[in-house]
Amino acid sequence: MTVPVVDFSKPDAVIHELFDPDDSVRTQFKNRFSEQAIMFSEAIAPAFARFPNFSDDGQHCIQTALVCGFVHGVLDDLVTSMKLLLTGKVTAAGNLFRQAIEGICMATMCGYQGTLLIGEKDCDYWELVAENAKEAEGHLAAKQLAKNWNRLGLNFEAAEQLKATLSLYNKHSHAGTVAMAYRMELGPNGLIYIGGHFDEAKVEGYVAEFLQRVELAKIVVQVIDSVWPRIRAISEKNRGGHRVIRQSQVDLERPLLLQPPSA
């Protein structure tokens, strides 16, 4: 398919791009990768099925509300990352994929009953997050999870796969040659794109990107099941105590926002 040349020095062309639904790009991805889209949908649906009850169990104290908030963010990031990938915006999709991994790490550490080694000292990780401490910034979460791997005792089926994923999590999250390559046509024309595009020469790379999201969706389900007993235990321990959650303390999305719109 011939890609039209757009003159972005013209404001009208920029406006058109900003509101362009990218239908032609979406159609090419839909025709080629509908199977992968179905795989992703089937992988993440169990996480959405669990989330309302999981969230209800976590709304009784700040610590568990943080866990539920991070899990909600992971679900949002994964779905949005998949949508961006299906419009050929690979670098942007990669950034959200990285953020989803960070969310998994932060949810897991917030749900831990005990201290973790953060920097050079043992801390209650969730309290650092609640205080917006620099030591608990999201970009640090993957390395912190890896550092506390044994202490956390992650033993669900996909734990080792998550550990392997952590080493690759920032592949598309920073400027570099990978991000540069995804913005240009790998074929003989060597076009440089603004926005989304479909490039036949990148098909194998696209497949790998889709499969990463399918596998992470499966991991999310197992993370929910792994941390859920801890959520219940923490909530029971703190129910009625000074750490009971108040709306003014933490304002997190409620499960209703995860329900599909009515027809």
Side-chain angles (χ1 to χ4, degrees), residues 17-54:
E17 176 65 23
L18 293 178
F19 291 98
D20 186 355
D22 293 318
D23 287 337
S24 62
V25 176
R26 289 176 184 269
T27 298
Q28 291 179 82
F29 274 94
K30 183 178 179 180
N31 291 341
R32 183 62 70 92
F33 298 112
S34 58
E35 179 181 351
Q36 286 79 5
I38 292 170
M39 290 170 60
F40 175 80
S41 301
E42 291 174 344
I44 202 168
F48 279 100
R50 285 162 169 76
F51 188 80
N53 290 334
F54 175 73

PDB file of all heavy atoms in Angstrom, residues 17-54:
ATOM      1  N   GLU A  17      -3.734  14.816  11.145  1.00  0.00           N
ATOM      2  CA  GLU A  17      -3.062  13.657  11.736  1.00  0.00           C
ATOM      3  C   GLU A  17      -3.523  13.426  13.176  1.00  0.00           C
ATOM      4  O   GLU A  17      -3.725  12.284  13.596  1.00  0.00           O
ATOM      5  CB  GLU A  17      -1.541  13.854  11.703  1.00  0.00           C
ATOM      6  CG  GLU A  17      -0.747  12.754  12.383  1.00  0.00           C
ATOM      7  CD  GLU A  17      -0.878  11.411  11.695  1.00  0.00           C
ATOM      8  OE1 GLU A  17      -1.203  11.370  10.487  1.00  0.00           O
ATOM      9  OE2 GLU A  17      -0.661  10.396  12.379  1.00  0.00           O
ATOM     10  N   LEU A  18      -3.707  14.504  13.922  1.00  0.00           N
ATOM     11  CA  LEU A  18      -4.111  14.376  15.318  1.00  0.00           C
ATOM     12  C   LEU A  18      -5.468  13.695  15.467  1.00  0.00           C
ATOM     13  O   LEU A  18      -5.698  12.961  16.432  1.00  0.00           O
ATOM     14  CB  LEU A  18      -4.145  15.747  15.990  1.00  0.00           C
ATOM     15  CG  LEU A  18      -2.801  16.471  16.169  1.00  0.00           C
ATOM     16  CD1 LEU A  18      -3.008  17.835  16.796  1.00  0.00           C
ATOM     17  CD2 LEU A  18      -1.849  15.629  17.017  1.00  0.00           C
ATOM     18  N   PHE A  19      -6.365  13.930  14.507  1.00  0.00           N
ATOM     19  CA  PHE A  19      -7.713  13.367  14.592  1.00  0.00           C
ATOM     20  C   PHE A  19      -7.944  12.221  13.607  1.00  0.00           C
ATOM     21  O   PHE A  19      -9.059  11.718  13.495  1.00  0.00           O
ATOM     22  CB  PHE A  19      -8.763  14.470  14.365  1.00  0.00           C
ATOM     23  CG  PHE A  19      -8.835  15.463  15.494  1.00  0.00           C
ATOM     24  CD1 PHE A  19      -8.178  16.675  15.409  1.00  0.00           C
ATOM     25  CD2 PHE A  19      -9.531  15.164  16.654  1.00  0.00           C
ATOM     26  CE1 PHE A  19      -8.223  17.588  16.451  1.00  0.00           C
ATOM     27  CE2 PHE A  19      -9.581  16.075  17.699  1.00  0.00           C
ATOM     28  CZ  PHE A  19      -8.931  17.291  17.596  1.00  0.00           C
ATOM     29  N   ASP A  20      -6.901  11.787  12.944  1.00  0.00           N
ATOM     30  CA  ASP A  20      -7.019  10.680  11.994  1.00  0.00           C
ATOM     31  C   ASP A  20      -7.235   9.369  12.749  1.00  0.00           C
ATOM     32  O   ASP A  20      -6.425   9.002  13.612  1.00  0.00           O
ATOM     33  CB  ASP A  20      -5.735  10.594  11.165  1.00  0.00           C
ATOM     34  CG  ASP A  20      -5.833   9.562  10.048  1.00  0.00           C
ATOM     35  OD1 ASP A  20      -6.861   8.860   9.979  1.00  0.00           O
ATOM     36  OD2 ASP A  20      -4.879   9.457   9.259  1.00  0.00           O
ATOM     37  N   PRO A  21      -8.315   8.636  12.483  1.00  0.00           N
ATOM     38  CA  PRO A  21      -8.559   7.369  13.180  1.00  0.00           C
ATOM     39  C   PRO A  21      -7.655   6.225  12.715  1.00  0.00           C
ATOM     40  O   PRO A  21      -7.742   5.121  13.249  1.00  0.00           O
ATOM     41  CB  PRO A  21     -10.028   7.061  12.849  1.00  0.00           C
ATOM     42  CG  PRO A  21     -10.257   7.736  11.528  1.00  0.00           C
ATOM     43  CD  PRO A  21      -9.419   8.985  11.559  1.00  0.00           C
ATOM     44  N   ASP A  22      -6.785   6.486  11.744  1.00  0.00           N
ATOM     45  CA  ASP A  22      -5.841   5.468  11.265  1.00  0.00           C
ATOM     46  C   ASP A  22      -6.547   4.206  10.775  1.00  0.00           C
ATOM     47  O   ASP A  22      -6.072   3.082  11.017  1.00  0.00           O
ATOM     48  CB  ASP A  22      -4.829   5.099  12.358  1.00  0.00           C
ATOM     49  CG  ASP A  22      -3.886   6.240  12.700  1.00  0.00           C
ATOM     50  OD1 ASP A  22      -3.438   6.912  11.774  1.00  0.00           O
ATOM     51  OD2 ASP A  22      -3.608   6.432  13.891  1.00  0.00           O
ATOM     52  N   ASP A  23      -7.668   4.378  10.093  1.00  0.00           N
ATOM     53  CA  ASP A  23      -8.455   3.215   9.670  1.00  0.00           C
ATOM     54  C   ASP A  23      -7.678   2.279   8.752  1.00  0.00           C
ATOM     55  O   ASP A  23      -7.785   1.053   8.863  1.00  0.00           O
ATOM     56  CB  ASP A  23      -9.738   3.681   8.961  1.00  0.00           C
ATOM     57  CG  ASP A  23     -10.758   4.252   9.938  1.00  0.00           C
ATOM     58  OD1 ASP A  23     -10.669   3.902  11.136  1.00  0.00           O
ATOM     59  OD2 ASP A  23     -11.625   5.030   9.515  1.00  0.00           O
ATOM     60  N   SER A  24      -6.898   2.834   7.846  1.00  0.00           N
ATOM     61  CA  SER A  24      -6.180   1.973   6.897  1.00  0.00           C
ATOM     62  C   SER A  24      -5.132   1.130   7.613  1.00  0.00           C
ATOM     63  O   SER A  24      -4.938  -0.049   7.307  1.00  0.00           O
ATOM     64  CB  SER A  24      -5.520   2.819   5.803  1.00  0.00           C
ATOM     65  OG  SER A  24      -4.562   3.709   6.359  1.00  0.00           O
ATOM     66  N   VAL A  25      -4.455   1.738   8.606  1.00  0.00           N
ATOM     67  CA  VAL A  25      -3.454   1.001   9.376  1.00  0.00           C
ATOM     68  C   VAL A  25      -4.130  -0.067  10.234  1.00  0.00           C
ATOM     69  O   VAL A  25      -3.683  -1.220  10.292  1.00  0.00           O
ATOM     70  CB  VAL A  25      -2.634   1.957  10.263  1.00  0.00           C
ATOM     71  CG1 VAL A  25      -1.657   1.176  11.138  1.00  0.00           C
ATOM     72  CG2 VAL A  25      -1.891   2.972   9.404  1.00  0.00           C
ATOM     73  N   ARG A  26      -5.218   0.308  10.893  1.00  0.00           N
ATOM     74  CA  ARG A  26      -5.952  -0.644  11.727  1.00  0.00           C
ATOM     75  C   ARG A  26      -6.412  -1.848  10.902  1.00  0.00           C
ATOM     76  O   ARG A  26      -6.346  -2.995  11.364  1.00  0.00           O
ATOM     77  CB  ARG A  26      -7.181   0.031  12.350  1.00  0.00           C
ATOM     78  CG  ARG A  26      -6.870   1.035  13.437  1.00  0.00           C
ATOM     79  CD  ARG A  26      -8.160   1.706  13.898  1.00  0.00           C
ATOM     80  NE  ARG A  26      -7.922   2.750  14.866  1.00  0.00           N
ATOM     81  CZ  ARG A  26      -7.898   2.566  16.177  1.00  0.00           C
ATOM     82  NH1 ARG A  26      -8.082   1.351  16.669  1.00  0.00           N
ATOM     83  NH2 ARG A  26      -7.683   3.575  16.994  1.00  0.00           N
ATOM     84  N   THR A  27      -6.893  -1.583   9.706  1.00  0.00           N
ATOM     85  CA  THR A  27      -7.389  -2.667   8.851  1.00  0.00           C
ATOM     86  C   THR A  27      -6.272  -3.641   8.505  1.00  0.00           C
ATOM     87  O   THR A  27      -6.470  -4.869   8.524  1.00  0.00           O
ATOM     88  CB  THR A  27      -8.002  -2.089   7.569  1.00  0.00           C
ATOM     89  OG1 THR A  27      -9.118  -1.256   7.908  1.00  0.00           O
ATOM     90  CG2 THR A  27      -8.476  -3.206   6.648  1.00  0.00           C
ATOM     91  N   GLN A  28      -5.098  -3.128   8.203  1.00  0.00           N
ATOM     92  CA  GLN A  28      -3.975  -4.011   7.884  1.00  0.00           C
ATOM     93  C   GLN A  28      -3.588  -4.879   9.079  1.00  0.00           C
ATOM     94  O   GLN A  28      -3.324  -6.083   8.930  1.00  0.00           O
ATOM     95  CB  GLN A  28      -2.773  -3.177   7.427  1.00  0.00           C
ATOM     96  CG  GLN A  28      -2.981  -2.501   6.078  1.00  0.00           C
ATOM     97  CD  GLN A  28      -1.792  -1.662   5.672  1.00  0.00           C
ATOM     98  OE1 GLN A  28      -0.801  -2.180   5.152  1.00  0.00           O
ATOM     99  NE2 GLN A  28      -1.865  -0.348   5.908  1.00  0.00           N
ATOM    100  N   PHE A  29      -3.571  -4.286  10.260  1.00  0.00           N
ATOM    101  CA  PHE A  29      -3.262  -5.068  11.459  1.00  0.00           C
ATOM    102  C   PHE A  29      -4.369  -6.075  11.754  1.00  0.00           C
ATOM    103  O   PHE A  29      -4.104  -7.220  12.141  1.00  0.00           O
ATOM    104  CB  PHE A  29      -3.044  -4.147  12.657  1.00  0.00           C
ATOM    105  CG  PHE A  29      -1.643  -3.634  12.767  1.00  0.00           C
ATOM    106  CD1 PHE A  29      -1.283  -2.402  12.223  1.00  0.00           C
ATOM    107  CD2 PHE A  29      -0.662  -4.385  13.410  1.00  0.00           C
ATOM    108  CE1 PHE A  29       0.012  -1.932  12.322  1.00  0.00           C
ATOM    109  CE2 PHE A  29       0.647  -3.918  13.502  1.00  0.00           C
ATOM    110  CZ  PHE A  29       0.988  -2.689  12.956  1.00  0.00           C
ATOM    111  N   LYS A  30      -5.624  -5.656  11.592  1.00  0.00           N
ATOM    112  CA  LYS A  30      -6.747  -6.564  11.852  1.00  0.00           C
ATOM    113  C   LYS A  30      -6.714  -7.759  10.918  1.00  0.00           C
ATOM    114  O   LYS A  30      -6.931  -8.905  11.351  1.00  0.00           O
ATOM    115  CB  LYS A  30      -8.066  -5.796  11.700  1.00  0.00           C
ATOM    116  CG  LYS A  30      -9.294  -6.633  12.013  1.00  0.00           C
ATOM    117  CD  LYS A  30     -10.559  -5.795  11.881  1.00  0.00           C
ATOM    118  CE  LYS A  30     -11.803  -6.620  12.178  1.00  0.00           C
ATOM    119  NZ  LYS A  30     -13.041  -5.808  12.056  1.00  0.00           N
ATOM    120  N   ASN A  31      -6.418  -7.513   9.651  1.00  0.00           N
ATOM    121  CA  ASN A  31      -6.380  -8.605   8.680  1.00  0.00           C
ATOM    122  C   ASN A  31      -5.230  -9.569   8.956  1.00  0.00           C
ATOM    123  O   ASN A  31      -5.348 -10.771   8.708  1.00  0.00           O
ATOM    124  CB  ASN A  31      -6.243  -8.041   7.267  1.00  0.00           C
ATOM    125  CG  ASN A  31      -7.492  -7.314   6.807  1.00  0.00           C
ATOM    126  OD1 ASN A  31      -8.573  -7.506   7.370  1.00  0.00           O
ATOM    127  ND2 ASN A  31      -7.347  -6.461   5.805  1.00  0.00           N
ATOM    128  N   ARG A  32      -4.130  -9.067   9.467  1.00  0.00           N
ATOM    129  CA  ARG A  32      -2.951  -9.899   9.671  1.00  0.00           C
ATOM    130  C   ARG A  32      -2.887 -10.517  11.070  1.00  0.00           C
ATOM    131  O   ARG A  32      -2.378 -11.631  11.233  1.00  0.00           O
ATOM    132  CB  ARG A  32      -1.691  -9.064   9.427  1.00  0.00           C
ATOM    133  CG  ARG A  32      -0.375  -9.841   9.544  1.00  0.00           C
ATOM    134  CD  ARG A  32      -0.281 -10.956   8.503  1.00  0.00           C
ATOM    135  NE  ARG A  32      -0.128 -10.413   7.176  1.00  0.00           N
ATOM    136  CZ  ARG A  32       1.055 -10.180   6.599  1.00  0.00           C
ATOM    137  NH1 ARG A  32       2.172 -10.454   7.247  1.00  0.00           N
ATOM    138  NH2 ARG A  32       1.103  -9.692   5.387  1.00  0.00           N
ATOM    139  N   PHE A  33      -3.410  -9.806  12.082  1.00  0.00           N
ATOM    140  CA  PHE A  33      -3.151 -10.228  13.455  1.00  0.00           C
ATOM    141  C   PHE A  33      -4.421 -10.436  14.285  1.00  0.00           C
ATOM    142  O   PHE A  33      -4.394 -10.311  15.507  1.00  0.00           O
ATOM    143  CB  PHE A  33      -2.261  -9.197  14.157  1.00  0.00           C
ATOM    144  CG  PHE A  33      -0.909  -9.038  13.516  1.00  0.00           C
ATOM    145  CD1 PHE A  33      -0.574  -7.856  12.862  1.00  0.00           C
ATOM    146  CD2 PHE A  33       0.013 -10.071  13.540  1.00  0.00           C
ATOM    147  CE1 PHE A  33       0.666  -7.705  12.262  1.00  0.00           C
ATOM    148  CE2 PHE A  33       1.263  -9.930  12.937  1.00  0.00           C
ATOM    149  CZ  PHE A  33       1.584  -8.745  12.301  1.00  0.00           C
ATOM    150  N   SER A  34      -5.518 -10.783  13.632  1.00  0.00           N
ATOM    151  CA  SER A  34      -6.751 -11.036  14.382  1.00  0.00           C
ATOM    152  C   SER A  34      -6.583 -12.213  15.341  1.00  0.00           C
ATOM    153  O   SER A  34      -7.143 -12.219  16.449  1.00  0.00           O
ATOM    154  CB  SER A  34      -7.917 -11.297  13.426  1.00  0.00           C
ATOM    155  OG  SER A  34      -7.634 -12.402  12.579  1.00  0.00           O
ATOM    156  N   GLU A  35      -5.802 -13.212  14.953  1.00  0.00           N
ATOM    157  CA  GLU A  35      -5.576 -14.374  15.826  1.00  0.00           C
ATOM    158  C   GLU A  35      -4.891 -13.950  17.120  1.00  0.00           C
ATOM    159  O   GLU A  35      -5.260 -14.388  18.225  1.00  0.00           O
ATOM    160  CB  GLU A  35      -4.723 -15.422  15.111  1.00  0.00           C
ATOM    161  CG  GLU A  35      -4.432 -16.650  15.955  1.00  0.00           C
ATOM    162  CD  GLU A  35      -3.555 -17.660  15.233  1.00  0.00           C
ATOM    163  OE1 GLU A  35      -3.307 -17.493  14.019  1.00  0.00           O
ATOM    164  OE2 GLU A  35      -3.111 -18.624  15.895  1.00  0.00           O
ATOM    165  N   GLN A  36      -3.882 -13.082  17.001  1.00  0.00           N
ATOM    166  CA  GLN A  36      -3.171 -12.617  18.191  1.00  0.00           C
ATOM    167  C   GLN A  36      -4.077 -11.757  19.076  1.00  0.00           C
ATOM    168  O   GLN A  36      -3.977 -11.806  20.304  1.00  0.00           O
ATOM    169  CB  GLN A  36      -1.925 -11.831  17.789  1.00  0.00           C
ATOM    170  CG  GLN A  36      -0.779 -12.673  17.277  1.00  0.00           C
ATOM    171  CD  GLN A  36      -0.959 -13.119  15.824  1.00  0.00           C
ATOM    172  OE1 GLN A  36      -1.908 -12.722  15.152  1.00  0.00           O
ATOM    173  NE2 GLN A  36      -0.039 -13.934  15.347  1.00  0.00           N
ATOM    174  N   ALA A  37      -4.962 -10.979  18.437  1.00  0.00           N
ATOM    175  CA  ALA A  37      -5.901 -10.166  19.213  1.00  0.00           C
ATOM    176  C   ALA A  37      -6.845 -11.052  20.015  1.00  0.00           C
ATOM    177  O   ALA A  37      -7.169 -10.760  21.177  1.00  0.00           O
ATOM    178  CB  ALA A  37      -6.687  -9.245  18.282  1.00  0.00           C
ATOM    179  N   ILE A  38      -7.295 -12.146  19.405  1.00  0.00           N
ATOM    180  CA  ILE A  38      -8.170 -13.090  20.106  1.00  0.00           C
ATOM    181  C   ILE A  38      -7.416 -13.744  21.262  1.00  0.00           C
ATOM    182  O   ILE A  38      -7.953 -13.892  22.367  1.00  0.00           O
ATOM    183  CB  ILE A  38      -8.703 -14.153  19.125  1.00  0.00           C
ATOM    184  CG1 ILE A  38      -9.668 -13.506  18.126  1.00  0.00           C
ATOM    185  CG2 ILE A  38      -9.400 -15.284  19.880  1.00  0.00           C
ATOM    186  CD1 ILE A  38     -10.065 -14.423  16.978  1.00  0.00           C
ATOM    187  N   MET A  39      -6.167 -14.131  21.029  1.00  0.00           N
ATOM    188  CA  MET A  39      -5.354 -14.738  22.089  1.00  0.00           C
ATOM    189  C   MET A  39      -5.218 -13.800  23.279  1.00  0.00           C
ATOM    190  O   MET A  39      -5.323 -14.219  24.436  1.00  0.00           O
ATOM    191  CB  MET A  39      -3.971 -15.106  21.538  1.00  0.00           C
ATOM    192  CG  MET A  39      -3.957 -16.255  20.556  1.00  0.00           C
ATOM    193  SD  MET A  39      -2.344 -16.430  19.731  1.00  0.00           S
ATOM    194  CE  MET A  39      -1.258 -16.723  21.141  1.00  0.00           C
ATOM    195  N   PHE A  40      -4.973 -12.513  22.984  1.00  0.00           N
ATOM    196  CA  PHE A  40      -4.836 -11.535  24.059  1.00  0.00           C
ATOM    197  C   PHE A  40      -6.141 -11.397  24.831  1.00  0.00           C
ATOM    198  O   PHE A  40      -6.139 -11.365  26.071  1.00  0.00           O
ATOM    199  CB  PHE A  40      -4.416 -10.185  23.486  1.00  0.00           C
ATOM    200  CG  PHE A  40      -4.373  -9.078  24.503  1.00  0.00           C
ATOM    201  CD1 PHE A  40      -3.288  -8.947  25.359  1.00  0.00           C
ATOM    202  CD2 PHE A  40      -5.415  -8.164  24.611  1.00  0.00           C
ATOM    203  CE1 PHE A  40      -3.245  -7.931  26.309  1.00  0.00           C
ATOM    204  CE2 PHE A  40      -5.383  -7.152  25.549  1.00  0.00           C
ATOM    205  CZ  PHE A  40      -4.288  -7.038  26.401  1.00  0.00           C
ATOM    206  N   SER A  41      -7.243 -11.314  24.100  1.00  0.00           N
ATOM    207  CA  SER A  41      -8.550 -11.152  24.746  1.00  0.00           C
ATOM    208  C   SER A  41      -8.851 -12.323  25.669  1.00  0.00           C
ATOM    209  O   SER A  41      -9.343 -12.138  26.793  1.00  0.00           O
ATOM    210  CB  SER A  41      -9.648 -11.036  23.674  1.00  0.00           C
ATOM    211  OG  SER A  41      -9.399  -9.939  22.824  1.00  0.00           O
ATOM    212  N   GLU A  42      -8.549 -13.530  25.214  1.00  0.00           N
ATOM    213  CA  GLU A  42      -8.807 -14.716  26.025  1.00  0.00           C
ATOM    214  C   GLU A  42      -7.868 -14.773  27.232  1.00  0.00           C
ATOM    215  O   GLU A  42      -8.243 -15.286  28.292  1.00  0.00           O
ATOM    216  CB  GLU A  42      -8.648 -15.972  25.170  1.00  0.00           C
ATOM    217  CG  GLU A  42      -9.743 -16.111  24.108  1.00  0.00           C
ATOM    218  CD  GLU A  42      -9.505 -17.284  23.178  1.00  0.00           C
ATOM    219  OE1 GLU A  42      -8.354 -17.801  23.143  1.00  0.00           O
ATOM    220  OE2 GLU A  42     -10.462 -17.686  22.477  1.00  0.00           O
ATOM    221  N   ALA A  43      -6.657 -14.230  27.082  1.00  0.00           N
ATOM    222  CA  ALA A  43      -5.690 -14.264  28.177  1.00  0.00           C
ATOM    223  C   ALA A  43      -6.026 -13.263  29.275  1.00  0.00           C
ATOM    224  O   ALA A  43      -5.846 -13.554  30.466  1.00  0.00           O
ATOM    225  CB  ALA A  43      -4.284 -13.997  27.636  1.00  0.00           C
ATOM    226  N   ILE A  44      -6.536 -12.094  28.895  1.00  0.00           N
ATOM    227  CA  ILE A  44      -6.756 -11.045  29.894  1.00  0.00           C
ATOM    228  C   ILE A  44      -8.158 -11.073  30.490  1.00  0.00           C
ATOM    229  O   ILE A  44      -8.382 -10.553  31.584  1.00  0.00           O
ATOM    230  CB  ILE A  44      -6.461  -9.644  29.298  1.00  0.00           C
ATOM    231  CG1 ILE A  44      -6.150  -8.659  30.426  1.00  0.00           C
ATOM    232  CG2 ILE A  44      -7.602  -9.155  28.401  1.00  0.00           C
ATOM    233  CD1 ILE A  44      -5.577  -7.343  29.945  1.00  0.00           C
ATOM    234  N   ALA A  45      -9.105 -11.710  29.804  1.00  0.00           N
ATOM    235  CA  ALA A  45     -10.483 -11.740  30.305  1.00  0.00           C
ATOM    236  C   ALA A  45     -10.590 -12.308  31.723  1.00  0.00           C
ATOM    237  O   ALA A  45     -11.346 -11.766  32.550  1.00  0.00           O
ATOM    238  CB  ALA A  45     -11.373 -12.530  29.339  1.00  0.00           C
ATOM    239  N   PRO A  46      -9.863 -13.375  32.085  1.00  0.00           N
ATOM    240  CA  PRO A  46      -9.949 -13.879  33.465  1.00  0.00           C
ATOM    241  C   PRO A  46      -9.501 -12.865  34.512  1.00  0.00           C
ATOM    242  O   PRO A  46     -10.005 -12.881  35.641  1.00  0.00           O
ATOM    243  CB  PRO A  46      -9.020 -15.103  33.449  1.00  0.00           C
ATOM    244  CG  PRO A  46      -9.001 -15.557  32.028  1.00  0.00           C
ATOM    245  CD  PRO A  46      -9.058 -14.294  31.228  1.00  0.00           C
ATOM    246  N   ALA A  47      -8.568 -11.989  34.155  1.00  0.00           N
ATOM    247  CA  ALA A  47      -8.146 -10.949  35.097  1.00  0.00           C
ATOM    248  C   ALA A  47      -9.285  -9.968  35.351  1.00  0.00           C
ATOM    249  O   ALA A  47      -9.539  -9.568  36.499  1.00  0.00           O
ATOM    250  CB  ALA A  47      -6.919 -10.218  34.562  1.00  0.00           C
ATOM    251  N   PHE A  48      -9.991  -9.575  34.286  1.00  0.00           N
ATOM    252  CA  PHE A  48     -11.135  -8.681  34.452  1.00  0.00           C
ATOM    253  C   PHE A  48     -12.257  -9.363  35.232  1.00  0.00           C
ATOM    254  O   PHE A  48     -12.978  -8.713  35.998  1.00  0.00           O
ATOM    255  CB  PHE A  48     -11.648  -8.214  33.094  1.00  0.00           C
ATOM    256  CG  PHE A  48     -10.844  -7.078  32.508  1.00  0.00           C
ATOM    257  CD1 PHE A  48      -9.884  -7.315  31.542  1.00  0.00           C
ATOM    258  CD2 PHE A  48     -11.049  -5.774  32.924  1.00  0.00           C
ATOM    259  CE1 PHE A  48      -9.139  -6.274  30.999  1.00  0.00           C
ATOM    260  CE2 PHE A  48     -10.315  -4.726  32.395  1.00  0.00           C
ATOM    261  CZ  PHE A  48      -9.353  -4.975  31.430  1.00  0.00           C
ATOM    262  N   ALA A  49     -12.406 -10.682  35.038  1.00  0.00           N
ATOM    263  CA  ALA A  49     -13.432 -11.417  35.781  1.00  0.00           C
ATOM    264  C   ALA A  49     -13.140 -11.425  37.278  1.00  0.00           C
ATOM    265  O   ALA A  49     -14.054 -11.355  38.107  1.00  0.00           O
ATOM    266  CB  ALA A  49     -13.522 -12.851  35.257  1.00  0.00           C
ATOM    267  N   ARG A  50     -11.882 -11.482  37.645  1.00  0.00           N
ATOM    268  CA  ARG A  50     -11.481 -11.509  39.045  1.00  0.00           C
ATOM    269  C   ARG A  50     -11.520 -10.132  39.695  1.00  0.00           C
ATOM    270  O   ARG A  50     -11.718 -10.016  40.905  1.00  0.00           O
ATOM    271  CB  ARG A  50     -10.048 -12.066  39.171  1.00  0.00           C
ATOM    272  CG  ARG A  50      -9.930 -13.564  38.978  1.00  0.00           C
ATOM    273  CD  ARG A  50      -8.490 -13.926  38.671  1.00  0.00           C
ATOM    274  NE  ARG A  50      -8.223 -15.358  38.727  1.00  0.00           N
ATOM    275  CZ  ARG A  50      -8.563 -16.223  37.800  1.00  0.00           C
ATOM    276  NH1 ARG A  50      -9.230 -15.815  36.730  1.00  0.00           N
ATOM    277  NH2 ARG A  50      -8.270 -17.508  37.925  1.00  0.00           N
ATOM    278  N   PHE A  51     -11.309  -9.080  38.905  1.00  0.00           N
ATOM    279  CA  PHE A  51     -11.000  -7.785  39.494  1.00  0.00           C
ATOM    280  C   PHE A  51     -12.100  -7.201  40.393  1.00  0.00           C
ATOM    281  O   PHE A  51     -11.776  -6.650  41.459  1.00  0.00           O
ATOM    282  CB  PHE A  51     -10.632  -6.764  38.420  1.00  0.00           C
ATOM    283  CG  PHE A  51     -10.123  -5.482  39.015  1.00  0.00           C
ATOM    284  CD1 PHE A  51      -8.813  -5.371  39.464  1.00  0.00           C
ATOM    285  CD2 PHE A  51     -10.964  -4.390  39.176  1.00  0.00           C
ATOM    286  CE1 PHE A  51      -8.343  -4.201  40.053  1.00  0.00           C
ATOM    287  CE2 PHE A  51     -10.508  -3.214  39.752  1.00  0.00           C
ATOM    288  CZ  PHE A  51      -9.193  -3.120  40.188  1.00  0.00           C
ATOM    289  N   PRO A  52     -13.375  -7.262  40.049  1.00  0.00           N
ATOM    290  CA  PRO A  52     -14.372  -6.640  40.940  1.00  0.00           C
ATOM    291  C   PRO A  52     -14.326  -7.183  42.370  1.00  0.00           C
ATOM    292  O   PRO A  52     -14.309  -6.406  43.331  1.00  0.00           O
ATOM    293  CB  PRO A  52     -15.705  -6.956  40.246  1.00  0.00           C
ATOM    294  CG  PRO A  52     -15.335  -7.065  38.800  1.00  0.00           C
ATOM    295  CD  PRO A  52     -13.991  -7.727  38.789  1.00  0.00           C
ATOM    296  N   ASN A  53     -14.298  -8.512  42.535  1.00  0.00           N
ATOM    297  CA  ASN A  53     -14.236  -9.080  43.885  1.00  0.00           C
ATOM    298  C   ASN A  53     -12.881  -8.815  44.539  1.00  0.00           C
ATOM    299  O   ASN A  53     -12.796  -8.556  45.747  1.00  0.00           O
ATOM    300  CB  ASN A  53     -14.501 -10.588  43.835  1.00  0.00           C
ATOM    301  CG  ASN A  53     -15.946 -10.898  43.496  1.00  0.00           C
ATOM    302  OD1 ASN A  53     -16.845 -10.093  43.744  1.00  0.00           O
ATOM    303  ND2 ASN A  53     -16.188 -12.057  42.920  1.00  0.00           N
ATOM    304  N   PHE A  54     -11.832  -8.887  43.743  1.00  0.00           N
ATOM    305  CA  PHE A  54     -10.500  -8.575  44.241  1.00  0.00           C
ATOM    306  C   PHE A  54     -10.448  -7.147  44.774  1.00  0.00           C
ATOM    307  O   PHE A  54      -9.918  -6.880  45.860  1.00  0.00           O
ATOM    308  CB  PHE A  54      -9.489  -8.769  43.105  1.00  0.00           C
ATOM    309  CG  PHE A  54      -8.078  -8.367  43.425  1.00  0.00           C
ATOM    310  CD1 PHE A  54      -7.288  -9.139  44.258  1.00  0.00           C
ATOM    311  CD2 PHE A  54      -7.534  -7.214  42.869  1.00  0.00           C
ATOM    312  CE1 PHE A  54      -5.978  -8.773  44.555  1.00  0.00           C
ATOM    313  CE2 PHE A  54      -6.223  -6.851  43.141  1.00  0.00           C
ATOM    314  CZ  PHE A  54      -5.447  -7.627  43.986  1.00  0.00           C
TER     315      PHE A  54
END
